[in-house]
Amino acid sequence: MSGPSGSVERIGADFFERWGRSQGLTVRAPRPDDGLFDSLEALRGPSFDPSSVHPLIAAFYTRTAGFDLRIESRWSGPFRAVGWLVSRLFARRLAQLNMPLSDRELSGGVESRLVKLCDARGEVCHVGWVRTTKERGLPVFVGRYGTARLPNHPDPCIQVTFPLPNGNAIVLLRPRVEPDGGLTLVSDGKRLGDPGFYFTVQARPGSAWVRYVRTMKEQLTLWVEGRTVRGRHRFRVFGLPFMEFTYTITGKSTSACAPTALADEAPHPDTRALQRVRDVAASR
């Protein structure tokens, strides 16, 4: 349960470069095929088989830099006012977790950038994913991505760490493969040691105060439509939905993840079966 933490002044889109220098790490030159993970095999466990994930979704996680990401947001009822208050008082000042209050804020698109930090041997030890609005350069998410094992869950989980002043917010998501090859990531635990949302504060060097936030839940589901990955990301607090993101993920035209380059990848068998069902239904 560890990860980078920030200063009280700001986080910012250049956080990983600054934090890496403070840790004696170097930034690896970006590559067009950089990904959040080298392989989804890191998530393999008794109830999760990464080979069942649709190849296009797997490619997004292992060749993330080769994809474009479009985000649309929707707030539920009164939570929009809470989001506005948090954004104005904290998020924009800290340059972190600037949750878009409307699609207008994302009309220019989202800039996605991976930062890989290496140790003295040149081995990657941290992967940061920075997403900013193209129009205003506001950091939407500045997070470190990796995997972690939890005492109360049999499979490895995806760990996302968002640095905050003198601490961080950590989300641990358990993976689940859908019948059509889609991928769902869920933080639905009930206690410390489960998947879920953790809040940490640095107490002194080498120790931290950790709180498991049971009331905060999220679920991200990704599926494939043609040569596009679609996503729906839902957040709940006290059991009530308060925010939802929808994602459209496409391969960049200049990368190996472009639709034409990925066209030869074998589709997931269940995807072919579902498409045949749709074709038959459409012909009636």
Side-chain angles (χ1 to χ4, degrees), residues 84-102:
W84 181 89
L85 190 62
V86 171
S87 175
R88 295 304 186 273
L89 294 181
F90 302 106
R92 297 198 177 181
R93 178 177 62 84
L94 294 175
Q96 167 69 304
L97 299 177
N98 279 284
M99 300 295 193
L101 298 174
S102 69

Side-chain angles (χ1 to χ4, degrees), residues 194-261:
D194 288 348
F197 182 88
Y198 292 78
F199 182 69
T200 77
V201 174
Q202 300 299 316
R204 59 182 182 274
S207 66
W209 177 85
V210 180
R211 180 178 180 83
Y212 183 79
V213 186
R214 293 199 314 168
T215 55
M216 185 76 170
K217 310 289 183 185
E218 66 177 279
Q219 177 172 311
L220 168 61
T221 299
L222 298 172
W223 68 94
V224 174
E225 293 181 3
R227 297 174 183 175
T228 299
V229 177
R230 306 282 185 186
R232 182 179 296 109
H233 200 168
R234 290 173 169 166
F235 300 82
R236 291 177 175 270
V237 63
F238 296 107
L240 300 173
F242 73 92
M243 183 172 59
E244 178 178 312
F245 291 146
T246 57
Y247 304 127
T248 302
I249 303 167
T250 54
K252 294 179 179 178
S253 58
T254 57
S255 78
C257 301
T260 53

Side-chain angles (χ1 to χ4, degrees), residues 149-167:
R149 285 189 173 274
L150 295 170
N152 301 339
H153 187 68
D155 302 328
C157 293
I158 289 180
Q159 176 177 330
V160 187
T161 305
F162 298 105
L164 296 172
N166 293 331

Side-chain angles (χ1 to χ4, degrees), residues 13-283:
D14 62 342
F15 170 82
F16 287 107
E17 286 85 354
R18 291 184 286 107
W19 181 78
R21 285 195 298 269
S22 73
Q23 304 296 309
L25 306 174
T26 58
V27 178
R28 195 183 78 177
R31 301 174 183 176
D33 61 346
D34 276 341
L36 292 170
F37 304 101
D38 292 333
S39 169
L40 292 186
E41 283 295 322
L43 295 170
R44 181 179 289 278
S47 59
F48 181 75
D49 178 7
S51 66
S52 298
V53 176
H54 193 287
L56 194 55
I57 296 175
F60 169 65
Y61 278 98
T62 57
R63 289 180 275 169
T64 314
F67 287 85
D68 281 321
L69 174 66
R70 190 172 80 243
I71 304 176
E72 296 177 3
S73 65
R74 182 173 66 85
W75 288 79
S76 298
F79 288 107
R80 179 182 173 83
V82 177
W84 181 89
L85 190 62
V86 171
S87 175
R88 295 304 186 273
L89 294 181
F90 302 106
R92 297 198 177 181
R93 178 177 62 84
L94 294 175
Q96 167 69 304
L97 299 177
N98 279 284
M99 300 295 193
L101 298 174
S102 69
D103 291 338
R104 186 175 63 253
E105 296 184 20
L106 299 171
S107 59
V110 176
E111 185 72 36
S112 174
R113 182 172 62 91
L114 292 185
V115 182
K116 296 207 170 187
L117 299 176
C118 300
D119 59 19
R121 296 173 296 177
E123 296 182 0
V124 175
C125 50
H126 297 281
V127 179
W129 190 14
V130 179
R131 282 151 288 178
T132 57
T133 60
K134 288 184 178 180
E135 194 169 89
R136 301 184 58 187
L138 293 175
V140 182
F141 297 112
V142 178
R144 174 193 177 274
Y145 281 70
T147 62
R149 285 189 173 274
L150 295 170
N152 301 339
H153 187 68
D155 302 328
C157 293
I158 289 180
Q159 176 177 330
V160 187
T161 305
F162 298 105
L164 296 172
N166 293 331
N168 50 53
I170 298 176
V171 184
L172 290 152
L173 302 146
R174 64 175 180 87
R176 182 180 75 216
V177 183
E178 302 299 339
D180 63 352
L183 177 65
T184 296
L185 304 175
V186 189
S187 65
D188 58 352
K190 296 181 179 179
R191 63 188 186 278
L192 196 71
D194 288 348
F197 182 88
Y198 292 78
F199 182 69
T200 77
V201 174
Q202 300 299 316
R204 59 182 182 274
S207 66
W209 177 85
V210 180
R211 180 178 180 83
Y212 183 79
V213 186
R214 293 199 314 168
T215 55
M216 185 76 170
K217 310 289 183 185
E218 66 177 279
Q219 177 172 311
L220 168 61
T221 299
L222 298 172
W223 68 94
V224 174
E225 293 181 3
R227 297 174 183 175
T228 299
V229 177
R230 306 282 185 186
R232 182 179 296 109
H233 200 168
R234 290 173 169 166
F235 300 82
R236 291 177 175 270
V237 63
F238 296 107
L240 300 173
F242 73 92
M243 183 172 59
E244 178 178 312
F245 291 146
T246 57
Y247 304 127
T248 302
I249 303 167
T250 54
K252 294 179 179 178
S253 58
T254 57
S255 78
C257 301
T260 53
L262 289 168
D264 294 333
E265 294 197 26
H268 190 278
D270 288 332
T271 301
R272 291 196 297 264
L274 287 172
Q275 185 60 50
R276 286 196 294 270
V277 171
R278 296 190 186 105
D279 292 343
V280 170
S283 64

